[in-house]
Every structure is written in C-alpha cells, then in structure tokens.
Amino acid sequence: MELIIDDRQDKLNVTEELIEKIKDIIIECLDYEGYDDDYEVSLSFVDNKEIHELNKQFRGIDRPTDVLSFPMLSDDFDIELEEESLGDIVISLERAFEQSKEYNHSFEREVCFLVCHSTFHLLGYDHDTEENTKQMREKEEYILNKLNITRE
C-alpha cells in the first residue's frame, strides 16, 4: 500500500509515528474487507479554511468539516489491477484537534478515527441510514480496537 501525503497546513505537527499508525489503519481496513494492499491512497492535511472551501465546492455545504473522502473504486473494478488508487482523503487537522478536545481524547486518536472512517468511505460504505451508520461504526471500532487506538 502506498500512502501519498500532502501536508498543506502549518497549524499542527504530523509525526512519523502518526503516519505509521495511519498506514496500519488503512491496511487493516483493506484486510478486514478482504482486499489485498496493492492500493494507493492520497492523504491531504489541511486547515479549516481549505476544507471549508472543498466542502462547499464538492458537497455544496458552506462550512468546514473534519474529513472528506473522494473514492476512486467503481463497482466493476478488477481486484487484480496493480496499484489502483482507492481515492483521496482530506483531513482538517485543525478540526481534528478541536474535536479531540470536544470528545476528550487524544489528537492522534481523532486523526486515526477520521482516517479509518474515511477509508471505509473509499471502500464504498456510507452513513446515509441508521443501519449503514451502525455498520460503519462497528467496523471503525473493530479496527481501532484491534490496533489498540482507544479513547484515552
């Protein structure tokens, strides 16, 4: 699995340890869903201003959000293709930091949750119904608990 990182913000430091956890999360999500790890994921770290602009442009929602997912896989993809892109994840580290305080857990845990959540979006899951939301939450909690990324 290749992770392409673009850090376009200057408010929060991204450690190598956090990057390694992010890679582990994506690989674990792929494995959980029965995929191999011959995929590429683009991950951009931005601030609230940039994610606000992206949210407005791509979703028509005029406010900042925590994470945006841009899936690339289609329903008829060939799983044997080499180095296919799963898609793009954009995280506002500024919003992740705010939410970590709001939810009373670490910044690292919040970023890891957002990556996990977004990876399941890249794999075709959504939280558009109560049942789909429950299914996504169960998957996210399973992955984070397996990797011992807990609410501290």
Side-chain angles (χ1 to χ4, degrees), residues 12-133:
L12 291 149
N13 185 39
V14 179
T15 65
E16 196 56 44
E17 180 184 347
L18 180 57
I19 298 300
E20 288 306 312
K21 285 186 179 192
I22 288 169
K23 288 178 186 175
D24 290 345
I25 288 166
I26 296 170
I27 290 169
E28 200 62 49
C29 289
L30 287 167
D31 184 61
Y32 183 80
E33 291 298 312
Y35 293 91
D36 58 30
D37 62 0
D38 289 338
Y39 292 93
E40 174 185 286
V41 173
S42 171
L43 174 59
S44 298
F45 296 122
V46 300
D47 59 19
N48 282 348
K49 182 176 187 264
E50 184 172 347
I51 209 159
H52 183 159
E53 292 167 9
L54 293 169
N55 203 24
K56 186 175 180 180
Q57 178 182 356
F58 290 101
R59 296 180 62 222
I61 299 173
D62 191 11
R63 63 176 166 78
T65 188
D66 49 8
V67 64
L68 292 171
S69 310
F70 299 95
M72 298 292 284
L73 289 181
S74 65
D75 291 336
D76 60 350
F77 75 95
D78 181 355
I79 202 156
E80 299 301 318
L81 291 177
E82 293 197 24
E83 216 51 280
E84 184 168 359
S85 177
L86 277 183
D88 302 325
I89 298 171
V90 181
I91 295 177
S92 168
L93 291 185
E94 189 176 4
R95 184 71 188 120
F97 181 77
E98 293 164 0
Q99 287 176 177
S100 72
K101 298 298 178 205
E102 183 180 328
Y103 300 135
N104 199 30
H105 56 237
S106 71
F107 169 69
E108 179 182 272
R109 197 273 179 196
E110 184 64 19
V111 172
C112 288
F113 169 78
L114 294 173
V115 168
C116 187
H117 179 81
S118 192
T119 300
F120 281 115
H121 275 308
L122 297 185
L123 293 171
Y125 291 93
D126 205 349
H127 43 83
D128 52 348
T129 67
E130 192 173 311
E131 183 57 35
N132 287 348
T133 299

